[in-house]
Amino acid sequence: MALTTSEVRELLNKLPKTNLGFFPTPLYKLENLSAELGIELYIKRDDFTGSNLFGGNKTRKLEYLIGKAKADGCDHVFTYGAVQSNHAMQTVWAATKNGIKPVIYLAAIVPIDENDIKANLLLDRIYDAEIHIVEPLEGESFMETEDRSFEMAKEHIARLEAEGHKCMNIPVGGADETGSLGYIGGITELYEQADAMGIEFDYLYHATGSGGTMAGMMAGRNLLGRDTVIRSISAMEIGKSYAKHAASLSNGALALMGVDPIVDKEDFAPDDNYYAPGYEIPNDATTKAIKLLAKKEGILVDPVYSGKAFSALLDHVKTGKIEQGSKVVFVHTGGATVFFAEKEILGEVF
Ligand SMILES: *Cc1c(COP(=O)(O)O)cnc(C)c1O
């Protein structure tokens, strides 16, 4: 039995949460691009979640994660990512604002110039986060460096806990059951707005990474009994168990709300045809997509996540995977700081 949006909100409201963002974020039609593409294209501005100019999807997850850290009496939160991680930056201010010390372990993909600290790493420093940069060892892949950062943090947490501190360990991207609650709320908000506007979306496009956003949105969609096709465009190679893991996050988040499992791994359509040549490495189609959205609508999507997802949407219009006349919503997940990051990540945007 499908729930109403207010019934979903009631269930969410029973869980620990701290208010971090500005909600609802805007949902509106992109008139110029709709005319050009022959579809009805809308955008959900989750790049405007706050609290600084550089919001994004992690803020929704962090409302529940930091809410839980507070409820559990934690005085430290640990999290992880690449050096220019949007998630780490949002975790830093979300924790600090709530009187919790953020400790971040960042794996270096591109070399860091100590004399020219930029973008998210610069913001992390302004917020006085405790930052541990983990440089790759010779021949080590990014994943291996990241795994090593988890091990280092594990020892660090054990040391702090032996001294009587209480630490919360937030996984990469905030992708656990608690974090995924944020996008059950996020998609509920989107449907509330769409219902008020009298629109039923055929397709929802968004960028996926750790999978928490995708997991939350699918849980919410199924709980509300909607049939929007959600197309999750990956910013990196997808492992074999990606959809299975996401389904376990969806059902785990629902369990926290007291709801029985209703998400199957077959519900997900993660697509890793658009991230090449690699995570944080730009490609031409993405650069073109960024320029098109910038010039037609004045909106900036980043080259690492939302730009790659938007390039997929454009390709799907071209190939008919999105039929002419379809109602499509693009969820802008943030990432604007990349415009001020290293050139290797930004690419040839001008
Ligand atoms: C983290 C991130 C994503 C992916 O979200 P997940 O929940 O990790 O899948 C998409 N876009 C931006 C800008 C992000 O920072």
Side-chain angles (χ1 to χ4, degrees):
M1 249 286 285
L3 300 191
T4 63
T5 51
S6 36
E7 285 168 337
V8 173
R9 283 208 181 273
E10 254 171 61
L11 294 177
L12 285 172
N13 286 344
K14 291 186 187 145
L15 295 161
K17 186 183 172 195
T18 184
N19 292 331
L20 295 172
F22 305 111
F23 302 116
T25 58
L27 172 73
Y28 62 97
K29 189 172 178 188
L30 301 179
E31 298 287 355
N32 296 338
L33 269 178
S34 291
E36 172 150 331
L37 299 174
I39 61 174
E40 283 186 44
L41 181 59
Y42 288 75
I43 193 161
K44 175 72 171 152
R45 297 296 301 270
D46 272 10
D47 53 328
F48 281 168
T49 52
S51 150
N52 53 40
L53 276 176
F54 311 108
N57 59 342
K58 305 311 179 307
T59 298
R60 286 193 192 271
K61 303 184 191 188
L62 286 159
E63 290 203 324
Y64 291 93
L65 289 162
I66 300 298
K68 181 170 193 299
K70 269 169 85 175
D72 292 351
C74 297
D75 52 16
H76 287 69
V77 297
F78 279 68
T79 203
Y80 314 88
V83 165
Q84 291 301 3
S85 166
N86 300 314
H87 162 68
M89 181 274 287
Q90 290 169 81
T91 303
V92 163
W93 67 254
T96 305
K97 176 171 186 267
N98 280 283
I100 298 172
K101 182 171 175 164
V103 183
I104 54 178
Y105 276 76
L106 304 175
I109 296 186
V110 296
I112 295 148
D113 179 356
E114 263 306 317
N115 297 314
D116 190 17
I117 297 297
K118 296 166 183 237
N120 284 324
L121 187 58
L122 172 69
L123 301 181
D124 297 337
R125 293 234 174 137
I126 293 173
Y127 289 122
D128 285 337
E130 181 177 326
I131 305 169
H132 299 264
I133 305 245
V134 185
E135 304 269 359
L137 300 175
E138 183 132 352
E140 200 176 47
S141 71
F142 174 66
M143 296 285 255
E144 287 163 345
T145 309
E146 209 174 39
D147 283 344
R148 204 154 46 77
S149 77
F150 303 154
E151 289 307 311
M152 291 163 77
K154 210 164 148 187
E155 285 170 25
H156 192 166
I157 291 171
R159 272 199 312 277
L160 285 169
E161 294 199 332
E163 290 167 13
H165 292 286
K166 192 151 187 215
C167 304
M168 180 188 227
N169 195 36
I170 299 180
V172 172
D176 64 9
E177 288 76 4
T178 301
S180 301
L181 291 166
Y183 268 89
I184 297 182
I187 200 162
T188 300
E189 179 185 297
L190 191 156
Y191 283 127
E192 283 165 346
Q193 291 170 308
D195 292 351
M197 293 159 91
I199 316 161
E200 277 183 48
F201 290 116
D202 303 305
Y203 299 104
L204 182 156
Y205 278 73
H206 75 103
T208 186
S210 66
T213 301
M214 171 172 112
M217 289 203 292
M218 193 60 72
R221 186 202 75 159
N222 289 3
L223 194 54
L224 292 162
R226 309 289 175 120
D227 50 18
T228 317
V229 173
I230 300 178
R231 292 194 175 142
S232 307
I233 313 301
S234 183
M236 61 202 76
E237 191 183 344
I238 294 173
K240 272 202 200 76
S241 56
Y242 193 71
K244 190 170 161 218
H245 178 64
S248 80
L249 290 182
S250 305
N251 291 325
L254 290 167
L256 295 174
M257 295 165 68
V259 175
D260 290 337
I262 45 168
V263 176
D264 190 86
K265 69 177 183 343
E266 310 298 335
D267 291 342
F268 295 103
D271 182 342
D272 65 357
N273 290 310
Y274 294 91
Y275 79 87
Y279 180 62
E280 287 198 352
I281 308 176
N283 64 42
D284 285 348
T286 300
T287 302
K288 285 204 185 96
I290 292 170
K291 299 283 275 193
L292 181 71
L293 192 57
K295 291 197 285 189
K296 289 280 174 189
E297 303 288 351
I299 297 168
L300 298 173
V301 282
D302 77 280
V304 180
Y305 287 101
S306 47
K308 285 186 174 169
F310 199 72
S311 80
L313 186 155
L314 293 175
D315 189 52
H316 288 182
V317 170
K318 205 157 90 191
T319 58
K321 207 169 164 187
I322 297 176
E323 305 81 5
Q324 287 290 294
S326 298
K327 295 184 178 67
V328 183
V329 59
F330 181 74
V331 179
H332 190 330
T333 44
T337 52
V338 179
F339 287 101
F340 310 100
E342 291 75 12
K343 183 90 173 118
E344 297 98 302
I345 309 178
L346 179 58
E348 302 287 335
V349 282
F350 61 90

